[in-house]
Amino acid sequence: MSDYRVTEKNGRGVQDAINAAFAAGGGRVVLEPGVYPCGTIYLKSRVELHLEAGAKLQGSSRPEDYDDVCDPAFDSVAPENSRKVLLAALRCSEIAVTGAGEINGAGPEFYDRNVPDGSFFAKPPHPRPRMVQFYGCRKVRIDGISFVDSPGWTFWLMGCEDVRIHGIRVEGCQQMINNDGIDIDDCRRVTVSDSFFRTGDDCLVLRAIRKTPDHHAVCSEVVVTNCVLDSWCQAIRVGCPSDDTICDCVFSNLVIKGSGNGIHINNPKRYLRPGCGGYLYLDRILFSGITMECGRVPVWVNVEEGVKLRHLGGVTFSNLRIDAAEPCRLEGCPETWIEDIRFHEVVGVSRSPETFVARYCRGLVQEQTRWTSSPRE
C-alpha cells in the first residue's frame, strides 16, 4: 500500500489524506515532524495513521471544533456529558495508529484550574472530548504513540475485536478527572503490552456495558502485560454492577504505583443504571506478577448491600508484592457473596492496623501468603 504524506499541517490536510488512502483501497498516512492543529479526525478501514518522531496531532481547546460522534446502535454521552471525540473510527477494519509522535488533547484547557494545589480541577459546563473512540472495529493496531492530556477518557474501545496495543505512553495531568487511560468495553481478544500510564482517573478499565436492555455484552480474552500504571484513583478497575459479562482476562508483570487504589472491582449502588438492581457476571480473572505501592487499598473487591449480581468470583491473585496504606478488602453483601477468590504467593504490608478484611466470602483460599501491619510513625 502507498504512503500518503500530509503536506498541509492541519486537520483538514490529515483528513483529506485519510480519505484518499481509503478511496484507493488502503494506505499509510504519514505525518512529518511538526504540529497539526485539528478537531475531529475520522480513521477509515485499511488506513494506518503514522506519526513520525516530532509530529504532533494537536487537538483544539475549543469544544465547538469537535464533532458529536455516535452510531445508531449506541449513542452515549457518558461519562463526560459529551459525544465529542478527537480520533474516531466507526465499524472499521484493519486500522492502525503508529509511530513515535504524539497526539495531544489540550486537556487542562477544558477545566477550571482555579483550585487548591493538589486538588482535582473543577469540571466545566461545556463538553470535553474523548481522545480516541473506536466502535465496532476489527483488527486494530496502536503502536508507539504518546497520548498526552486527553480532556476525557483517553481511549474508549467499544465492541471491538482483535486489538493490539503496544509500546504506547498515556500521560494526563493527574489533576484532571475522567481522563481514564484505556476503557475496554464489550471487546474480545485485546492485548495491551509494554506501555506506560499516568492518569488522574483509572489507568485501565474493563467494562461490558449493555447498550440496550436486550444487548448481550461480553468483555473477554483481554491480556495486559509488562506495563507501569500510576493513578490518583485506580490503576485497574474491572466492571460496574449493571454490566453484563467479564471473563477470561489476565493482568501480568505490572508495576502499580500512585496515591490511589491498586486493583478495584467496585459495585456500589450509585453505579447502577436506572431500574437495575445489579447484573454483572464476573469470572476467571487472573492477576499475576504484580509489584504494587499505592496510597489507598491495594486489592478491593466490594458489593454494596442491596446490589444483587449474577456472579462475582473466580479471581486469582498470584505472586504479588504489596506495600499500601490500607489492607486488602473483600467485601460482599447478603445479596451477593464473593466466591472462589485465591491468593497465592502474596506478601503484603499494610500501613494500617488491619492487614486483610473479608466478609460475605465463600471459597477464599490463601496459600503462601504473608500479611504484615507496619503503621508509619
Side-chain angles (χ1 to χ4, degrees):
M1 292 189 293
S2 301
D3 280 359
Y4 294 78
R5 292 193 168 267
V6 180
T7 57
E8 186 179 353
K9 287 187 167 58
N10 56 40
R12 183 68 266 166
V14 175
Q15 190 66 64
D16 286 347
I18 291 172
N19 294 345
F22 174 69
R28 190 174 77 145
V29 172
V30 180
L31 275 60
E32 298 175 345
V35 179
Y36 298 75
C38 66
T40 300
I41 300 291
Y42 293 91
L43 200 55
K44 298 188 176 181
S45 292
R46 297 175 297 283
V47 175
E48 174 184 344
L49 179 61
H50 182 82
L51 283 69
E52 294 181 343
K56 180 191 290 188
L57 196 62
Q58 178 62 62
S60 170
S61 60
R62 304 193 319 158
E64 57 268 27
D65 290 337
Y66 296 90
D67 293 349
D68 288 332
V69 176
C70 59
D71 185 273
F74 183 43
D75 182 15
S76 175
V77 298
E80 301 94 353
N81 195 30
S82 173
R83 297 180 178 88
K84 299 187 179 298
V85 180
L86 174 53
L87 183 60
L90 300 173
R91 303 181 187 273
C92 295
S93 63
E94 299 179 58
I95 58 175
V97 184
T98 67
E102 175 183 319
I103 300 178
N104 190 298
E109 300 297 322
F110 286 84
Y111 289 81
D112 177 359
R113 289 168 285 168
N114 185 26
V115 298
D117 290 343
S119 300
F120 282 118
F121 296 148
K123 295 182 183 181
H126 53 267
R128 292 171 289 123
R130 292 176 273 274
M131 184 174 282
V132 177
Q133 183 169 310
F134 292 171
Y135 177 75
C137 295
R138 308 288 182 269
K139 296 183 180 179
V140 177
R141 181 166 59 95
I142 313 290
D143 199 329
I145 296 290
S146 294
F147 297 87
V148 178
D149 279 340
S150 177
W153 290 1
T154 309
F155 283 80
W156 192 0
L157 305 177
M158 295 181 287
C160 296
E161 295 184 357
D162 301 307
V163 178
R164 184 168 70 85
I165 299 172
H166 173 264
I168 69 168
R169 294 183 68 87
V170 173
E171 297 189 66
C173 174
Q174 292 188 303
Q175 289 180 267
M176 294 191 297
I177 196 66
N178 297 133
N179 68 339
D180 295 10
I182 302 180
D183 284 67
I184 301 169
D185 170 22
D186 189 18
C187 295
R188 295 167 176 82
R189 299 181 300 279
V190 178
T191 300
V192 181
S193 64
D194 303 286
S195 297
F196 175 83
F197 298 83
R198 178 183 289 125
T199 61
D201 218 312
D202 310 329
C203 289
L204 291 170
V205 183
L206 300 189
R207 297 291 307 277
I209 300 173
R210 292 180 292 156
K211 280 60 175 179
T212 61
D214 59 351
H215 174 227
H216 181 41
V218 178
C219 188
S220 67
E221 300 172 75
V222 176
V223 175
V224 178
T225 188
N226 299 339
C227 294
V228 177
L229 313 176
D230 181 350
S231 171
W232 274 18
C233 284
Q234 281 77 228
I236 299 170
R237 178 187 289 277
V238 181
C240 280
S242 294
D243 284 358
D244 197 328
T245 301
I246 301 174
C247 62
D248 300 315
C249 300
V250 176
F251 296 83
S252 68
N253 300 334
L254 306 178
V255 174
I256 291 175
K257 58 183 182 179
S259 59
N261 299 312
I263 299 164
H264 204 184
I265 303 174
N266 182 30
N267 295 277
K269 287 181 178 179
R270 70 181 185 277
Y271 286 171
L272 289 170
R273 294 171 63 169
C276 177
Y279 195 74
L280 176 67
Y281 183 98
L282 183 146
D283 199 10
R284 301 187 303 276
I285 310 293
L286 171 63
F287 298 92
S288 176
I290 300 175
T291 298
M292 195 181 313
E293 183 175 353
C294 53
R296 292 164 60 190
V297 182
V299 174
W300 195 356
V301 183
N302 76 297
V303 187
E304 187 176 349
E305 188 168 342
V307 175
K308 184 174 177 57
L309 306 181
R310 290 180 295 157
H311 174 70
L312 178 57
V315 184
T316 295
F317 301 92
S318 177
N319 188 17
L320 270 59
R321 298 296 180 267
I322 296 171
D323 188 335
E326 300 182 42
C328 291
R329 296 184 175 274
L330 306 180
E331 299 172 314
C333 68
E335 296 84 359
T336 305
W337 286 62
I338 299 170
E339 300 181 300
D340 301 325
I341 306 294
R342 179 171 177 253
F343 288 83
H344 175 71
E345 292 188 350
V346 177
V347 176
V349 176
S350 168
R351 301 301 175 182
S352 76
E354 294 182 297
T355 59
F356 192 93
V357 175
R359 51 177 168 264
Y360 293 107
C361 296
R362 297 191 188 98
L364 173 60
V365 176
Q366 299 202 52
E367 303 168 319
Q368 302 177 50
T369 61
R370 184 172 74 249
W371 305 101
T372 303
S373 174
S374 180
R376 297 187 189 275
E377 297 185 3

